[in-house]
Amino acid sequence: MNAEKNKSMFAAGISLFSNIALTLIKLIVGVLFKSGVLIADGIHNAGDVIASATAFGSMRISSQPADEDHPYGHGKAEVVGAGIVAVILLLAAIWIGYSSIEVLFGPPPEAHLIALIAAFISLVWKQWLYMYTMKIGKQSKSKALIATAYDHLADVYASAAAVVGITLALVGDWTGITLLKYGDPAAGIIVAVLVLKLAYEMGKDAVDILMDRTVDPDKIKQFASLVRAVREVKRIDRLRAREHGQYILVDVRASIPGHLSIQEGHDISREIKKAIKDAHEDVDEVLVHLNPWYAEDDLKAISAKKRK
């Protein structure tokens, strides 16, 4: 786990450094050569610096062990970080959309080849960052790093649109076709819509986890099969599970024969926990509550159903 955590922290550090470098490149080139989409993308990248720093900080907090105030650990710190990244993406989408629409109502901006080169470098760089951080994020089950990867994906969209937009604007300058000269801000509007969609999906996922939404139903079925496989378990009375950042907490309430001793009940509880945790590495804790079961209880329940 420590090796995976170190990999995640390293990936988050690379993301932070890259976002700082790309922000400077885009803003400097965008201002010097008056590329609206590149300036908008640079401002978006400035938000990415905050997003990367937030992800980096939340990952450091989530790695801290449980304490008296946080007995279930600090895993949700990463989810909070992912939510903040979603808000930053939302604000970036609004800014990119607004600035692009504003340009459409003015004279077409002049396109420059250097702006196109800067956008292309950003596209390649961000595509690599997206693949790298997503791979490490999934391996370590880090919500914050996966959110950072999606943030990089938003930049891939933005840079791809910038490349297309600036290229169209250059073609417009060379051919004299006025409509093509607006390719730069038109691309910015498309970017705004794509980034807005990403922000919504990331924000929804973060809110669902913070609100303790249950895990995937198929995973619940897998947990239930493992519990039923324990020989002494006669009935599952309740089974719940929720994500807590990069790990899952499972709550099991099961019935076992009422004549068993406390020691036997304790051993069964440990067997249930071991079965689930051995089969699912992403499960950090299994809380087990055992109820007494008697054969006549099931007979009464069957009779009651028949009468209905």
Side-chain angles (χ1 to χ4, degrees), residues 134-151:
M134 182 59 78
K135 178 183 175 183
I136 302 299
K138 286 183 175 179
Q139 285 177 353
S140 59
K141 298 180 177 64
S142 169
K143 294 292 181 184
L145 197 57
I146 290 173
T148 300
Y150 279 123
D151 188 36

PDB file of all heavy atoms in Angstrom, residues 134-151:
ATOM      1  N   MET A 134      -4.208   8.466 -14.769  1.00  0.00           N
ATOM      2  CA  MET A 134      -5.351   7.559 -14.699  1.00  0.00           C
ATOM      3  C   MET A 134      -4.888   6.138 -14.361  1.00  0.00           C
ATOM      4  O   MET A 134      -5.510   5.438 -13.548  1.00  0.00           O
ATOM      5  CB  MET A 134      -6.114   7.560 -16.023  1.00  0.00           C
ATOM      6  CG  MET A 134      -7.354   6.664 -16.033  1.00  0.00           C
ATOM      7  SD  MET A 134      -8.572   7.115 -14.748  1.00  0.00           S
ATOM      8  CE  MET A 134      -9.347   8.535 -15.521  1.00  0.00           C
ATOM      9  N   LYS A 135      -3.783   5.706 -14.967  1.00  0.00           N
ATOM     10  CA  LYS A 135      -3.244   4.372 -14.696  1.00  0.00           C
ATOM     11  C   LYS A 135      -2.851   4.236 -13.226  1.00  0.00           C
ATOM     12  O   LYS A 135      -3.245   3.275 -12.549  1.00  0.00           O
ATOM     13  CB  LYS A 135      -2.026   4.126 -15.583  1.00  0.00           C
ATOM     14  CG  LYS A 135      -1.355   2.770 -15.341  1.00  0.00           C
ATOM     15  CD  LYS A 135      -0.105   2.622 -16.197  1.00  0.00           C
ATOM     16  CE  LYS A 135       0.623   1.325 -15.867  1.00  0.00           C
ATOM     17  NZ  LYS A 135       1.885   1.201 -16.655  1.00  0.00           N
ATOM     18  N   ILE A 136      -2.107   5.205 -12.702  1.00  0.00           N
ATOM     19  CA  ILE A 136      -1.677   5.159 -11.295  1.00  0.00           C
ATOM     20  C   ILE A 136      -2.875   5.323 -10.365  1.00  0.00           C
ATOM     21  O   ILE A 136      -2.977   4.669  -9.331  1.00  0.00           O
ATOM     22  CB  ILE A 136      -0.625   6.247 -11.001  1.00  0.00           C
ATOM     23  CG1 ILE A 136       0.591   6.083 -11.912  1.00  0.00           C
ATOM     24  CG2 ILE A 136      -0.197   6.193  -9.536  1.00  0.00           C
ATOM     25  CD1 ILE A 136       1.330   4.779 -11.754  1.00  0.00           C
ATOM     26  N   GLY A 137      -3.812   6.207 -10.742  1.00  0.00           N
ATOM     27  CA  GLY A 137      -5.002   6.443  -9.915  1.00  0.00           C
ATOM     28  C   GLY A 137      -5.834   5.188  -9.754  1.00  0.00           C
ATOM     29  O   GLY A 137      -6.319   4.881  -8.660  1.00  0.00           O
ATOM     30  N   LYS A 138      -6.022   4.433 -10.844  1.00  0.00           N
ATOM     31  CA  LYS A 138      -6.803   3.197 -10.770  1.00  0.00           C
ATOM     32  C   LYS A 138      -6.066   2.115  -9.996  1.00  0.00           C
ATOM     33  O   LYS A 138      -6.673   1.344  -9.245  1.00  0.00           O
ATOM     34  CB  LYS A 138      -7.138   2.699 -12.180  1.00  0.00           C
ATOM     35  CG  LYS A 138      -8.209   3.532 -12.868  1.00  0.00           C
ATOM     36  CD  LYS A 138      -8.571   2.969 -14.229  1.00  0.00           C
ATOM     37  CE  LYS A 138      -9.728   3.737 -14.843  1.00  0.00           C
ATOM     38  NZ  LYS A 138     -10.077   3.218 -16.190  1.00  0.00           N
ATOM     39  N   GLN A 139      -4.741   2.057 -10.167  1.00  0.00           N
ATOM     40  CA  GLN A 139      -3.955   1.058  -9.436  1.00  0.00           C
ATOM     41  C   GLN A 139      -4.031   1.288  -7.931  1.00  0.00           C
ATOM     42  O   GLN A 139      -4.152   0.343  -7.150  1.00  0.00           O
ATOM     43  CB  GLN A 139      -2.494   1.105  -9.893  1.00  0.00           C
ATOM     44  CG  GLN A 139      -2.243   0.487 -11.260  1.00  0.00           C
ATOM     45  CD  GLN A 139      -0.794   0.627 -11.694  1.00  0.00           C
ATOM     46  OE1 GLN A 139       0.021   1.296 -11.050  1.00  0.00           O
ATOM     47  NE2 GLN A 139      -0.453  -0.014 -12.809  1.00  0.00           N
ATOM     48  N   SER A 140      -3.966   2.556  -7.529  1.00  0.00           N
ATOM     49  CA  SER A 140      -3.973   2.894  -6.101  1.00  0.00           C
ATOM     50  C   SER A 140      -5.367   3.209  -5.573  1.00  0.00           C
ATOM     51  O   SER A 140      -5.535   3.483  -4.395  1.00  0.00           O
ATOM     52  CB  SER A 140      -3.046   4.085  -5.843  1.00  0.00           C
ATOM     53  OG  SER A 140      -3.468   5.204  -6.592  1.00  0.00           O
ATOM     54  N   LYS A 141      -6.382   3.187  -6.479  1.00  0.00           N
ATOM     55  CA  LYS A 141      -7.779   3.492  -6.117  1.00  0.00           C
ATOM     56  C   LYS A 141      -7.870   4.869  -5.450  1.00  0.00           C
ATOM     57  O   LYS A 141      -8.564   5.061  -4.463  1.00  0.00           O
ATOM     58  CB  LYS A 141      -8.362   2.410  -5.208  1.00  0.00           C
ATOM     59  CG  LYS A 141      -8.410   1.039  -5.870  1.00  0.00           C
ATOM     60  CD  LYS A 141      -8.993   0.001  -4.939  1.00  0.00           C
ATOM     61  CE  LYS A 141      -9.087  -1.347  -5.648  1.00  0.00           C
ATOM     62  NZ  LYS A 141      -7.791  -1.912  -6.035  1.00  0.00           N
ATOM     63  N   SER A 142      -7.129   5.836  -6.012  1.00  0.00           N
ATOM     64  CA  SER A 142      -7.093   7.193  -5.468  1.00  0.00           C
ATOM     65  C   SER A 142      -8.106   8.080  -6.188  1.00  0.00           C
ATOM     66  O   SER A 142      -7.963   8.371  -7.376  1.00  0.00           O
ATOM     67  CB  SER A 142      -5.688   7.786  -5.617  1.00  0.00           C
ATOM     68  OG  SER A 142      -5.693   9.164  -5.324  1.00  0.00           O
ATOM     69  N   LYS A 143      -9.151   8.492  -5.460  1.00  0.00           N
ATOM     70  CA  LYS A 143     -10.182   9.359  -6.042  1.00  0.00           C
ATOM     71  C   LYS A 143      -9.594  10.697  -6.479  1.00  0.00           C
ATOM     72  O   LYS A 143      -9.957  11.241  -7.525  1.00  0.00           O
ATOM     73  CB  LYS A 143     -11.300   9.597  -5.027  1.00  0.00           C
ATOM     74  CG  LYS A 143     -12.099   8.355  -4.664  1.00  0.00           C
ATOM     75  CD  LYS A 143     -12.920   7.876  -5.829  1.00  0.00           C
ATOM     76  CE  LYS A 143     -13.731   6.653  -5.451  1.00  0.00           C
ATOM     77  NZ  LYS A 143     -14.477   6.109  -6.619  1.00  0.00           N
ATOM     78  N   ALA A 144      -8.680  11.233  -5.669  1.00  0.00           N
ATOM     79  CA  ALA A 144      -8.101  12.539  -5.982  1.00  0.00           C
ATOM     80  C   ALA A 144      -7.255  12.466  -7.246  1.00  0.00           C
ATOM     81  O   ALA A 144      -7.295  13.368  -8.088  1.00  0.00           O
ATOM     82  CB  ALA A 144      -7.258  13.032  -4.808  1.00  0.00           C
ATOM     83  N   LEU A 145      -6.480  11.387  -7.406  1.00  0.00           N
ATOM     84  CA  LEU A 145      -5.633  11.268  -8.580  1.00  0.00           C
ATOM     85  C   LEU A 145      -6.463  10.991  -9.833  1.00  0.00           C
ATOM     86  O   LEU A 145      -6.150  11.488 -10.916  1.00  0.00           O
ATOM     87  CB  LEU A 145      -4.601  10.152  -8.375  1.00  0.00           C
ATOM     88  CG  LEU A 145      -3.400  10.177  -9.336  1.00  0.00           C
ATOM     89  CD1 LEU A 145      -2.676  11.517  -9.250  1.00  0.00           C
ATOM     90  CD2 LEU A 145      -2.444   9.037  -9.033  1.00  0.00           C
ATOM     91  N   ILE A 146      -7.528  10.207  -9.698  1.00  0.00           N
ATOM     92  CA  ILE A 146      -8.423   9.972 -10.830  1.00  0.00           C
ATOM     93  C   ILE A 146      -9.101  11.282 -11.244  1.00  0.00           C
ATOM     94  O   ILE A 146      -9.265  11.572 -12.434  1.00  0.00           O
ATOM     95  CB  ILE A 146      -9.474   8.894 -10.484  1.00  0.00           C
ATOM     96  CG1 ILE A 146      -8.796   7.520 -10.388  1.00  0.00           C
ATOM     97  CG2 ILE A 146     -10.587   8.853 -11.529  1.00  0.00           C
ATOM     98  CD1 ILE A 146      -9.696   6.406  -9.890  1.00  0.00           C
ATOM     99  N   ALA A 147      -9.471  12.102 -10.241  1.00  0.00           N
ATOM    100  CA  ALA A 147     -10.046  13.420 -10.545  1.00  0.00           C
ATOM    101  C   ALA A 147      -9.030  14.290 -11.278  1.00  0.00           C
ATOM    102  O   ALA A 147      -9.372  15.012 -12.217  1.00  0.00           O
ATOM    103  CB  ALA A 147     -10.489  14.106  -9.259  1.00  0.00           C
ATOM    104  N   THR A 148      -7.760  14.202 -10.870  1.00  0.00           N
ATOM    105  CA  THR A 148      -6.708  14.951 -11.551  1.00  0.00           C
ATOM    106  C   THR A 148      -6.549  14.469 -12.986  1.00  0.00           C
ATOM    107  O   THR A 148      -6.336  15.269 -13.902  1.00  0.00           O
ATOM    108  CB  THR A 148      -5.368  14.782 -10.785  1.00  0.00           C
ATOM    109  OG1 THR A 148      -5.516  15.269  -9.454  1.00  0.00           O
ATOM    110  CG2 THR A 148      -4.250  15.555 -11.471  1.00  0.00           C
ATOM    111  N   ALA A 149      -6.680  13.145 -13.184  1.00  0.00           N
ATOM    112  CA  ALA A 149      -6.586  12.584 -14.537  1.00  0.00           C
ATOM    113  C   ALA A 149      -7.706  13.140 -15.423  1.00  0.00           C
ATOM    114  O   ALA A 149      -7.473  13.518 -16.578  1.00  0.00           O
ATOM    115  CB  ALA A 149      -6.661  11.058 -14.485  1.00  0.00           C
ATOM    116  N   TYR A 150      -8.926  13.215 -14.875  1.00  0.00           N
ATOM    117  CA  TYR A 150     -10.041  13.770 -15.640  1.00  0.00           C
ATOM    118  C   TYR A 150      -9.830  15.260 -15.917  1.00  0.00           C
ATOM    119  O   TYR A 150     -10.268  15.782 -16.952  1.00  0.00           O
ATOM    120  CB  TYR A 150     -11.358  13.539 -14.916  1.00  0.00           C
ATOM    121  CG  TYR A 150     -11.914  12.148 -15.114  1.00  0.00           C
ATOM    122  CD1 TYR A 150     -12.183  11.325 -14.024  1.00  0.00           C
ATOM    123  CD2 TYR A 150     -12.153  11.662 -16.390  1.00  0.00           C
ATOM    124  CE1 TYR A 150     -12.679  10.039 -14.219  1.00  0.00           C
ATOM    125  CE2 TYR A 150     -12.656  10.384 -16.583  1.00  0.00           C
ATOM    126  CZ  TYR A 150     -12.911   9.576 -15.498  1.00  0.00           C
ATOM    127  OH  TYR A 150     -13.388   8.318 -15.690  1.00  0.00           O
ATOM    128  N   ASP A 151      -9.170  15.921 -14.990  1.00  0.00           N
ATOM    129  CA  ASP A 151      -8.830  17.325 -15.201  1.00  0.00           C
ATOM    130  C   ASP A 151      -7.860  17.443 -16.371  1.00  0.00           C
ATOM    131  O   ASP A 151      -7.986  18.348 -17.214  1.00  0.00           O
ATOM    132  CB  ASP A 151      -8.203  17.889 -13.920  1.00  0.00           C
ATOM    133  CG  ASP A 151      -8.003  19.386 -13.993  1.00  0.00           C
ATOM    134  OD1 ASP A 151      -8.852  20.066 -14.598  1.00  0.00           O
ATOM    135  OD2 ASP A 151      -6.999  19.879 -13.449  1.00  0.00           O
TER     136      ASP A 151
END
